[in-house]
């Protein structure tokens, strides 16, 4: 066995599978005995490069490698001490994804299935069947001999081994065990009393021989087994020596490879790696420098904000604070030195909010309280040559308030506006009183008392000054609100523009996002296909690293942008300190639009602010009207406005209407307070106006003697102007030598009207009513009612005086003559002629919903026509009573014509003489037709009583002569020549 270690040749296997030892004719080489390498090499220590060292090919590192493992993986997985194999051996350390990770199939290997082996199996199936059949029929002879010899030797050795007791074959055999020892060496066979007998000696020799025999049997069996496996043993030994030789060669090759790799690492890797480290260090230094510059810029935020606030650049200060807070949250988060800066900026922002509100309040107060004699525009005063104008100051304030969502700044302006409106009235009254010596301000201290002490011209001048001041006040407010509205509209347009850009950007990003998965998949596949390394994961990791580098570059760009924004804000602060302009401020606002869009109010809120601006303008108009109402009511408290003349009240009404109209054009709001106050005063004025004229008319009627009056030329001109469509009072003319003389009749559209003096004045009175309506359209309804009442009063009072004979007691007339009646009828007809004209004039001054009050004119027209008809009936009744009295005494006898008919013709001539010049021809004819009908009725009745018939007898002839005399006399009157009397109706018709 010792010599077997020196056998170097490797046994070669023959065809029959039995290895034969090759004999080397050369003498055997003596090799020193070398120990085999440990299967568990030592951990690398960095000392030398022996076989037991670690596998590092570049440098030694004290890190764990696979060569540091003491137990191989199969031994760890097949631990005999565990009842069953652990199912979570991999997942409990590396996670659940380790066992379930799907291995990516290779692109170069086809997918092999069972169908690919089908042709081969079909081809080899037949050969396999033949081979199996041959093996069973013809076994190998050598194999049979070897098997038989092995079987014989095995049976023989087995029989010999059966002689050895079983106790020696047990695995737990140990002589230390007393029971085993007593079984193997039975000392009970020996004499324990002491001494050695011949029997004991024989027994011990027998036991020794037996044990020696057992040993020989075992050694023979072992030698037989060794002889049977000697070839395999020698082959294993020779293979072990060959393996040691090859391991030595491998060790030398590995040492050479390590040397070359170290040279490559030293020459080709360390330099580039150092360059990469230097580049990485430089990038880190650049980032650190940028961070330090950003920190320096942030550190200067508070001084810059103070500088901006000193120049009232609230927008720039707020933008700088917002940018700094954004940079602190995104770029400088976690910086210990800036841990309190965020809260300080928030407090500073709150302070700026208070400053803006206070500054806006001061601006509104100074703008509204400055002298109204200046231009009614936004403040344009420039305190210093390089300071911004107050208009830009207002725009900056409004934009800053909008940016901070302080949308209630209009309430501040409204409060200041109300205070300023009160001050305007006080100032105007004080200025007016200053020029009036009759008013002692120490005695009369209240403004209302001072206004009541003034005369109407003085007070009216004060009122016009108040109106003028409030118009300038409203113009100034409108200009200021227009500036505010333009800023709000600019912000609204910017918000809409940003929203459209965001929608367009979101659509583009959505398309990119939809393509990004496929792009990423394509990039991964491309990395897999082009990667030349050992693992696919390396290619994917490289792609991920490239994406991370791009993201880091974007973050770096953002940080640089944040720093540039802060630096830009500082530059703006410096520029605003040195010089500023409208273009620069607009640029700042535009940048603030883009950067602070999230801070800005929404479109709904901005539209609400625009509506509030318009409502504030309306409120300014209402406040102005309310203060003017105070001035008006203070004057009217003692009733002085009711005692105004119509001309004075018309002037007051025109001034108020002009102011209301101007404010409506300026503010676009129809305020009703001042109109309502004027309407209240107008109602009182109308009441007094109407009562004065009604009283005047009553006095005129009570003193009227109902005689025809001469018509002055001014009244004829007045009537002519009405005929021309001018329903107004003409201006009074200074009497001159060329004035025309009065006429007997009033010519109206070619018709003559004989009138009394009261009717002429009545025409002028209702023209005064129409003139008041022209001057004060708001009192049209009330004035129409009062005018209708006046016309009704004239109708009823004239009826009482003429038809009711009231003039006999009032004026002292002896009787009411037919001439009085005809004159009254003609006056009433003249009034009826003008009622449609008055109605049409009032209709133009009324609203469509007020047309219902025009029905009063229809009732008045009916009453007047009824009155005229009653007068006509009265005239007929006078003659009717005369005919009844005269014809009752008529007798048919000579001489002819009879005295009765003579008397009738005389009275008819008197009637005609009384009314001919007063009534028109048509009315005269109609009246005489009615009188003739009455005469015929009484004559027919008397002839029937007398029994005279148209039989051609003497009485009939006498009656015909009287009738002919009557007809001749009546037709001889003027305008009655062609009057058909139809006297045949006096006779009874024959049956």
């Amino acid at each position: 066995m010792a010599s077997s270690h020196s056998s170097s040749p490797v046994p070669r296997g023959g065809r029959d599978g039995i290895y034969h030892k090759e004999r080397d004719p050369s003498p055997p080489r003596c090799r020193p005995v070398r120990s085999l390498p440990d299967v568990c090499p030592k951990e690398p220590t960095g000392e030398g490069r022996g076989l037991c060292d670690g596998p590092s090919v570049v440098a030694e590192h004290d890190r764990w490698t696979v060569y540091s493992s003491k137990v191989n993986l199969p031994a760890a997985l097949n631990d005999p001490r565990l009842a069953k194999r652990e199912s979570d051996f991999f997942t409990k350390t590396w996670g659940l994804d380790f066992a379930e990770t799907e291995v990516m199939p290779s692109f170069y290997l086809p997918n092999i299935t069972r169908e690919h082996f089908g042709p081969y199996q079909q081809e080899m199936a037949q050969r396999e069947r033949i081979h199996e059949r041959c093996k069973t029929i013809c076994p190998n002879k050598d194999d049979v001999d070897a098997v038989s010899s092995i079987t014989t030797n095995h049976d023989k050795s087995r029989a010999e081994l059966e002689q050895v007791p079983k106790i020696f074959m047990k695995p737990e055999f140990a002589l230390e065990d007393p029971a085993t020892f007593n079984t193997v060496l039975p000392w009970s066979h020996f004499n324990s009393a002491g001494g050695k007998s011949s029997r004991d000696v024989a027994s011990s020799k027998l036991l020794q021989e037996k044990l020696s025999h057992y040993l020989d049997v075992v050694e023979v069996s072992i030698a037989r087994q060794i002889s049977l496996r000697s070839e395999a043993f020698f082959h294993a030994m020779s293979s072990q020596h060959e393996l040691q030789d090859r391991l030595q060669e491998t060790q030398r090759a590995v040492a050479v490879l390590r040397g070359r790799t170290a040279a490559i690492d030293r020459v080709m890797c360390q330099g580039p790696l150092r360059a990469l480290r230097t580049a990485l260090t430089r990038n880190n230094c650049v980032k650190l420098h940028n961070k330090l510059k950003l920190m320096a810029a942030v550190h200067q935020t508070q001084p810059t904000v103070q500088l901006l606030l000193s120049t009232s650049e609230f927008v720039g200060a707020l933008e700088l604070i917002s940018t700094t807070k954004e940079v602190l949250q995104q770029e400088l988060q976690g910086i210990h030195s800036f841990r309190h800066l965020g809260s300080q900026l928030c407090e500073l922002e709150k302070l700026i909010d208070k400053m803006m509100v206070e500054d806006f309040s001061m601006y509104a107060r100074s703008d509204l309280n400055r002298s109204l004699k200046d231009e009614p525009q936004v403040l344009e005063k420039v305190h210093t040559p390089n300071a911004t104008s107050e208009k830009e100051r207002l725009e900056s304030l409004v934009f800053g308030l909008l940016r901070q969502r302080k949308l209630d700044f209009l309430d501040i302006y409204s409060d200041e506006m109300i205070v300023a409106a009160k001050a305007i009235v006080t100032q105007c009254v004080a200025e007016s009183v200053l020029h009036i010596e009759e008013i002692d301000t120490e005695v009369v201290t209240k403004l209302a008392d001072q206004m009541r002490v003034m005369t109407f011209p003085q007070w009216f001048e004060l009122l016009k000054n108040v109106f003028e001041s409030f118009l300038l006040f409203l113009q100034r407010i409108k200009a200021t609100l227009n500036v505010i509205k333009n800023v709000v509209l600019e912000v609204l347009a910017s918000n809409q523009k940003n929203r459209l850009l965001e929608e367009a950007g979101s659509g583009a990003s959505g398309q990119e996002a939809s393509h990004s998965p496929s792009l990423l998949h394509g990039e991964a596949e491309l990395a897999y296909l082009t990667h030349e390394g050992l693992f696919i994961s390396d290619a994917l990791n490289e792609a991920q690293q490239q994406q991370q580098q791009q993201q880091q570059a974007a973050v770096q760009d953002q940080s640089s942008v944040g720093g540039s924004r802060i630096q830009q804000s500082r530059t703006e602060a410096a520029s605003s300190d040195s010089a500023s302009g409208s273009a620069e401020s607009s640029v700042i606002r535009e940048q603030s639009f883009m950067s602070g869009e999230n801070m800005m109010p929404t479109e709904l809120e901005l539209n609400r602010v625009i509506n509030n601006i318009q409502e504030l303008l309306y409120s300014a108009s209402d406040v102005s009207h309310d203060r003017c109402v105070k001035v008006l009511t203070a004057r009217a408290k003692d009733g002085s406005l009711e005692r105004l003349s119509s001309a004075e009240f018309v002037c007051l009404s025109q001034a108020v209407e002009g102011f209301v109209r101007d404010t409506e054009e300026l503010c676009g709001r129809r305020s009703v307070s001042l109109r309502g106050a004027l309407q209240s005063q107008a109602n009182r004025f109308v009441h007094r106006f109407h009562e004065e004229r009604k009283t005047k008319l009553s006095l005129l009627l009570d003193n009227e003697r109902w005689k025809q009056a001469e018509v002055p030329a001014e009244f004829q001109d007045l009537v002519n102007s009405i005929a021309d469509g001018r329903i107004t009072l003409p201006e009074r003319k200074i009497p001159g030598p060329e004035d025309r003389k009065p006429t007997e009749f009033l010519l109206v559209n070619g018709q003559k009207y004989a009138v009394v003096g009261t009717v002429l004045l009545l025409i002028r009175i209702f023209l005064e009513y129409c003139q008041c309506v022209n001057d004060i359209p708001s009192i049209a309804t009330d004035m129409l009612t009062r005018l209708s009442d006046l016309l009704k009063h004239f109708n009823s009072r004239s009826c009482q005086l003429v038809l009711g004979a009231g003039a006999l007691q009032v004026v002292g007339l002896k009787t009411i003559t037919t001439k009085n009646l005809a004159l009254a009828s003609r006056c009433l007809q003249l009034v009826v002629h003008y009622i449609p004209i008055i109605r049409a004039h009032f209709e133009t001054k009324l609203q469509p919903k007020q047309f219902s009050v025009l029905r009063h004119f229809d009732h008045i027209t009916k009453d007047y026509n009824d009155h005229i008809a009653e007068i006509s009936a009265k005239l007929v009744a006078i003659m009717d009573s005369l005919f009844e009295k005269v014809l009752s005494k008529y007798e048919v006898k000579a001489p002819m014509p009879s005295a009765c008919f003579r008397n009738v013709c005389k009275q008819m001539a008197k009637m005609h003489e009384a009314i001919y010049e007063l009534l028109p021809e048509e009315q005269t004819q109609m009246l005489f037709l009615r009188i003739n009908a009455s005469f015929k009725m009484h004559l027919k009745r008397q002839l029937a009583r007398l029994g005279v018939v148209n039989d051609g007898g003497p009485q009939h002839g006498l009656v015909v002569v009287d009738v002919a005399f009557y007809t001749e006399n009546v037709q001889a009157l003027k305008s009655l020549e062609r009057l058909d009397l139809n006297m045949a109706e006096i006779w009874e018709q024959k049956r």
Side-chain angles (χ1 to χ4, degrees):
M1 295 178 64
S3 63
S4 63
H5 289 286
S6 62
S7 60
S8 60
V10 179
R12 306 296 180 180
R15 295 181 180 179
D16 55 355
I18 301 175
Y19 289 89
H20 301 280
K21 185 176 181 180
E22 293 182 359
R23 300 297 180 180
D24 191 0
S26 63
R29 292 177 297 174
C30 295
R31 295 181 180 176
V33 179
R34 297 184 181 182
S35 60
L36 293 176
D38 191 2
V39 295
C40 295
K42 297 180 181 180
E43 295 182 2
T45 60
E47 300 176 359
R49 296 182 178 270
L51 183 62
C52 297
D53 296 337
S56 175
V57 296
V58 178
E60 298 298 336
H61 300 281
D62 294 334
R63 62 187 182 88
W64 188 91
T65 63
V66 293
Y67 293 95
S68 301
S69 176
K70 304 301 183 183
V71 181
N72 56 2
L73 187 60
L77 295 177
N78 300 314
D79 191 352
R81 292 174 296 178
L82 298 178
K84 63 178 180 179
R85 180 178 174 181
E86 295 183 41
S87 59
D88 58 345
F89 181 80
F90 297 102
T91 58
K92 69 181 180 180
T93 303
W94 295 296
L96 296 175
D97 296 335
F98 184 83
E100 297 179 0
T101 302
E102 184 179 356
V103 180
M104 185 179 294
S106 175
F107 294 96
Y108 302 101
L109 298 178
N111 189 12
I112 304 300
T113 60
R114 187 177 296 273
E115 285 75 10
H116 290 82
F117 298 94
Y120 174 76
Q121 290 178 350
Q122 293 177 1
E123 181 181 356
M124 300 303 295
Q126 184 66 25
R127 298 180 182 180
E128 185 180 4
R129 286 194 296 269
I130 296 173
H131 175 70
E132 292 295 335
R133 188 165 55 251
C134 292
K135 283 177 63 177
T136 55
I137 298 174
C138 301
N140 192 353
K141 181 179 180 180
D142 295 334
D143 293 342
V144 174
D145 294 341
V147 170
S148 61
S149 63
I150 292 172
T151 303
T152 304
N153 293 331
H154 178 69
D155 294 339
K156 183 178 180 180
S157 61
R158 184 174 182 181
E160 292 177 351
L161 287 174
E162 287 179 353
Q163 297 176 8
V164 180
K166 300 298 183 183
I167 190 172
F168 293 102
M169 302 299 178
K170 292 182 178 179
E172 62 273 8
F173 175 80
L175 291 176
E176 292 84 359
D177 188 9
T180 304
F181 187 80
N182 292 328
T183 305
V184 174
L185 298 174
W187 296 101
S188 60
H189 294 258
F190 302 98
N191 187 9
S192 61
K196 295 185 180 179
S197 62
S198 57
R199 185 179 178 182
D200 294 335
V201 173
S203 298
S204 61
K205 288 183 178 180
L206 181 61
L207 179 61
Q208 185 176 6
E209 290 178 359
K210 185 184 297 185
L211 292 177
S212 299
H213 175 68
Y214 293 158
L215 178 60
D216 293 338
V217 171
V218 172
E219 289 179 351
V220 170
S221 179
I222 291 174
R224 186 181 297 113
Q225 293 296 329
I226 291 174
S227 64
L228 290 176
R229 292 173 173 80
S230 60
E231 294 294 333
F233 178 74
F234 292 133
H235 178 266
M237 295 300 295
S238 60
S239 298
Q240 183 68 24
H241 293 306
E242 184 69 21
L243 180 61
Q244 289 182 357
D245 295 338
R246 293 187 179 183
L247 285 175
Q248 290 177 357
E249 294 176 1
T250 303
Q251 182 181 1
R252 288 191 296 270
V254 169
V256 173
L257 178 61
R258 285 182 175 177
R260 293 179 179 177
T261 307
I264 292 174
D265 174 57
R266 183 174 59 257
V267 175
M268 301 183 63
C269 297
Q270 291 181 0
L273 286 175
R274 189 180 303 108
L276 291 176
R277 291 193 193 97
T278 305
L280 182 60
T281 304
R282 184 181 181 278
N283 291 334
N284 292 335
C285 292
V286 170
K287 292 180 181 178
L288 178 61
H289 182 249
N290 291 333
K291 288 290 183 180
L292 291 176
K293 289 196 298 183
L294 189 59
M295 291 176 64
V298 170
H299 183 65
Q300 294 296 322
T301 296
Q302 289 179 325
T304 307
V305 169
Q306 297 294 338
L307 182 61
L308 290 171
L309 292 181
S310 64
T311 58
S312 299
E313 286 291 339
F314 298 107
V315 179
L318 290 172
E319 176 61 22
L320 179 57
I321 291 175
S322 175
T323 304
T324 305
K325 290 169 66 176
E326 182 180 355
V327 170
L328 283 176
Q329 294 177 358
Q330 295 181 358
E331 305 297 332
L332 301 179
Q333 189 174 7
I335 302 298
H336 186 72
S337 59
F338 291 151
R339 63 187 184 278
H340 300 304
L341 184 58
S343 59
Q344 293 174 358
L345 292 177
C346 292
E347 293 297 329
L348 190 58
E349 190 171 8
K350 294 179 182 178
L351 177 62
I352 292 175
D353 291 346
K354 295 179 181 179
M355 291 178 62
M356 285 193 300
V357 173
E358 184 64 25
D359 204 2
F360 182 79
S361 178
M362 292 176 59
Y363 170 82
R365 192 178 302 114
S366 61
D367 181 38
L368 294 174
N369 292 328
R370 64 190 172 98
S371 177
L372 292 171
K373 303 302 180 182
D374 299 339
E375 289 296 326
Q377 302 297 327
V378 182
L379 275 173
E380 295 291 343
K381 298 177 182 178
V382 179
H383 302 292
T384 59
N386 294 328
T388 57
S389 67
E390 294 295 331
K391 181 178 180 181
E392 295 176 359
R393 175 189 172 196
L394 175 60
E395 291 176 349
S396 177
L397 283 172
V398 173
F399 182 78
L401 291 170
L402 290 176
R403 193 181 188 280
Q404 295 303 109
R405 293 180 178 271
K406 299 292 182 181
L407 304 181
D408 56 346
F409 64 93
L410 293 178
D411 298 336
I412 300 174
Y413 194 83
S414 177
D415 296 339
E416 296 294 339
M417 177 186 66
I418 294 174
V419 175
K422 294 180 181 179
I424 287 175
V425 176
T426 305
Q427 183 179 0
C428 290
V429 174
E431 291 177 356
S432 299
V433 171
L434 188 63
H435 296 87
I436 300 175
E437 298 178 355
E438 293 80 3
I439 300 178
D440 188 358
T441 55
E442 296 181 357
V443 178
V444 185
T445 57
K446 295 184 179 180
L447 296 179
D449 296 335
Q450 294 175 359
M451 285 188 285
R452 282 192 288 270
V453 173
M454 297 178 184
T455 62
F456 178 76
Q458 294 172 345
W459 177 83
F460 187 64
E461 188 66 25
L462 168 64
L463 184 64
K464 290 194 292 184
N465 291 335
V466 171
F467 287 164
E468 182 180 359
S469 299
F470 273 116
L471 284 175
L472 296 176
F473 179 68
L474 291 176
Q475 290 175 3
R476 180 175 300 168
I477 291 176
K478 184 176 181 181
T480 302
L481 294 180
N482 283 337
V483 173
I484 298 175
K485 186 176 181 180
N486 291 335
V487 174
V488 177
L489 291 175
E490 187 178 357
V491 175
L492 183 61
S494 177
N495 284 357
Q496 293 176 352
K497 179 180 178 182
N498 293 335
R499 180 169 53 82
L500 294 176
L501 292 177
E502 287 178 358
E503 292 178 355
S506 62
S509 63
Q511 293 179 358
E512 292 178 359
S514 63
H515 293 300
S516 61
S518 61
L519 289 176
L520 290 176
H521 180 71
E523 290 176 359
E525 184 176 357
L526 180 63
Y528 167 75
L529 293 177
T530 58
H531 184 62
E532 297 179 356
L534 295 176
F535 302 100
I536 300 175
S537 59
D538 294 340
L540 300 179
N541 291 334
E542 289 178 359
Q544 293 178 358
Q545 289 177 359
Q546 291 179 359
Q547 293 179 358
Q548 291 177 357
Q549 290 176 359
Q550 294 176 358
Q551 294 176 358
Q552 291 176 357
V555 171
Q556 185 175 359
D557 293 340
Q558 291 179 358
S559 64
S560 62
V561 168
S564 63
R565 284 165 58 184
I566 294 180
Q567 189 67 25
Q568 183 179 4
S569 300
R570 295 177 59 192
T571 305
E572 290 169 358
S575 63
S576 64
D577 188 25
S578 61
S580 61
S582 60
E584 183 178 343
S585 61
S586 64
V587 170
I588 295 175
R589 286 201 299 273
E590 183 66 23
Q591 293 171 353
S592 299
F593 287 145
M594 301 303 294
S595 62
E597 56 186 356
N598 294 330
M599 300 287 293
M600 283 296 171
T602 60
E603 294 185 8
L604 180 61
E605 292 174 339
L606 292 175
N607 289 325
R608 191 180 297 116
V609 171
I610 293 175
N611 294 333
N612 292 338
I613 291 173
Q614 190 64 37
E615 290 296 329
L616 184 57
L617 184 60
Y618 296 159
S619 177
S621 176
D622 294 339
V623 169
S624 301
H625 282 237
D626 292 340
R627 304 318 300 178
C628 294
V629 168
K630 294 287 185 180
V631 176
L632 195 64
T633 53
R635 175 71 180 181
K637 190 173 183 179
D638 59 350
S640 59
L641 294 182
E642 300 175 14
R643 296 189 294 270
L644 296 178
S645 65
S646 59
E648 291 175 340
F649 194 86
V650 166
C651 292
L652 174 62
S653 175
Q654 289 176 346
V656 172
E657 288 292 335
F659 175 71
V660 172
R661 183 172 57 254
D662 292 340
T663 54
E664 287 180 4
E665 294 177 357
L666 186 62
C667 303
R669 172 70 171 265
R670 184 180 178 86
S671 299
V672 297
S673 58
L674 186 58
R675 272 201 174 100
L678 179 65
Q679 183 67 39
S680 176
Q681 296 300 323
N683 292 336
R684 298 177 185 177
F685 169 76
V686 167
H687 178 73
R688 185 194 58 78
F689 180 86
H690 175 65
E691 291 299 327
E692 287 181 357
R693 279 142 186 80
K694 187 175 181 180
T695 303
K696 181 179 179 181
L697 182 61
S698 298
L699 293 175
L700 291 173
L701 288 173
D702 291 342
N703 295 319
E704 181 62 57
R705 302 189 66 85
W706 297 100
K707 291 183 179 180
Q708 184 177 1
E710 293 182 347
V711 180
E714 60 175 346
F715 282 97
Q716 184 62 53
D717 295 338
L718 187 65
V719 170
N720 294 337
S721 68
I722 295 174
D724 294 338
R726 296 189 299 274
I727 316 297
T728 57
L729 287 173
E731 297 180 357
R732 291 182 177 272
K733 297 181 179 180
I734 300 175
E738 70 279 0
D739 287 345
R740 294 168 294 169
K741 295 182 179 180
T743 59
E744 294 183 358
F745 297 96
L746 184 67
L747 292 177
V748 180
N749 294 334
Q751 291 189 4
K752 293 182 179 182
Y753 283 90
V755 293
V756 296
T758 303
V759 173
L760 293 177
L761 294 176
L762 178 63
I763 294 174
R764 185 176 183 86
I765 287 173
F766 68 66
L767 282 180
E768 290 177 353
Y769 278 81
C770 295
Q771 182 67 38
C772 281
V773 172
N774 290 337
D775 298 332
I776 316 174
S778 59
I779 63 173
T781 304
D782 197 9
M783 193 64 75
L784 186 149
T785 305
R786 304 303 173 93
L787 179 58
S788 62
D789 180 67
L790 185 72
L791 294 175
K792 288 179 182 179
H793 176 69
F794 174 78
N795 185 35
S796 61
R797 188 60 180 164
S798 61
C799 181
Q800 293 173 3
L801 293 174
V802 180
L803 285 178
L808 300 180
Q809 292 81 19
V810 176
V811 186
L813 295 180
K814 295 181 179 180
T815 182
I816 302 298
T817 62
T818 56
K819 195 168 187 177
N820 298 137
L821 292 172
L823 190 59
S825 175
R826 195 58 175 162
C827 291
L828 293 173
Q829 293 175 21
L830 179 62
V831 175
V832 170
H833 171 76
Y834 282 113
I835 286 177
I837 299 175
I838 298 172
R839 176 194 175 105
H841 177 73
F842 274 88
E843 187 174 0
T844 60
K845 306 300 179 183
L846 294 175
Q847 300 292 332
K849 60 182 180 181
Q850 298 175 337
F851 285 168
S852 59
V853 298
L854 295 173
R855 66 181 184 275
H856 294 300
F857 290 112
D858 299 333
H859 300 326
I860 293 171
T861 304
K862 181 177 180 302
D863 293 340
Y864 272 70
N865 289 329
D866 292 342
H867 191 186
I868 295 171
E870 288 178 2
I871 293 177
S872 299
K874 182 65 176 178
L875 292 173
V876 175
I878 292 173
M879 297 303 295
D880 184 77
S881 61
L882 177 65
F883 292 152
E884 185 179 4
K885 179 179 179 182
V886 174
L887 291 178
S888 63
K889 300 177 181 179
Y890 175 63
E891 295 180 356
V892 183
K893 61 180 180 179
M896 292 297 166
S898 61
C900 179
F901 269 77
R902 291 176 183 271
N903 190 12
V904 169
C905 291
K906 181 180 177 180
Q907 295 298 329
M908 293 283 281
K910 288 182 178 180
M911 171 67 74
H912 183 270
E913 183 182 358
I915 67 173
Y916 172 72
E917 294 183 353
L918 301 180
L919 297 178
E921 183 177 348
E922 295 82 3
Q923 292 185 17
T924 303
Q925 293 177 358
M926 293 299 298
L927 182 61
F928 272 87
L929 283 177
R930 293 177 62 185
I931 293 174
N932 180 56
S934 176
F935 172 75
K936 289 189 294 183
M937 181 187 66
H938 288 287
L939 180 60
K940 182 177 180 180
R941 189 180 300 165
Q942 184 63 24
L943 291 177
R945 189 183 301 117
L946 296 175
V948 178
V949 295
N950 55 346
D951 54 356
Q955 288 185 338
H956 175 262
L958 293 176
V959 172
V960 169
V961 173
D962 284 338
V963 169
F965 175 77
Y966 167 79
T967 302
E968 182 179 357
N969 279 276
V970 170
Q971 291 181 347
L973 300 175
K974 292 182 180 180
S975 71
L976 299 181
E977 296 84 1
R978 295 184 297 277
L979 189 65
D980 185 11
L981 300 179
N982 194 12
M983 298 303 295
E985 294 181 353
I986 63 175
W987 304 107
E988 289 288 344
Q989 298 294 331
K990 294 182 179 180
R991 297 180 180 177

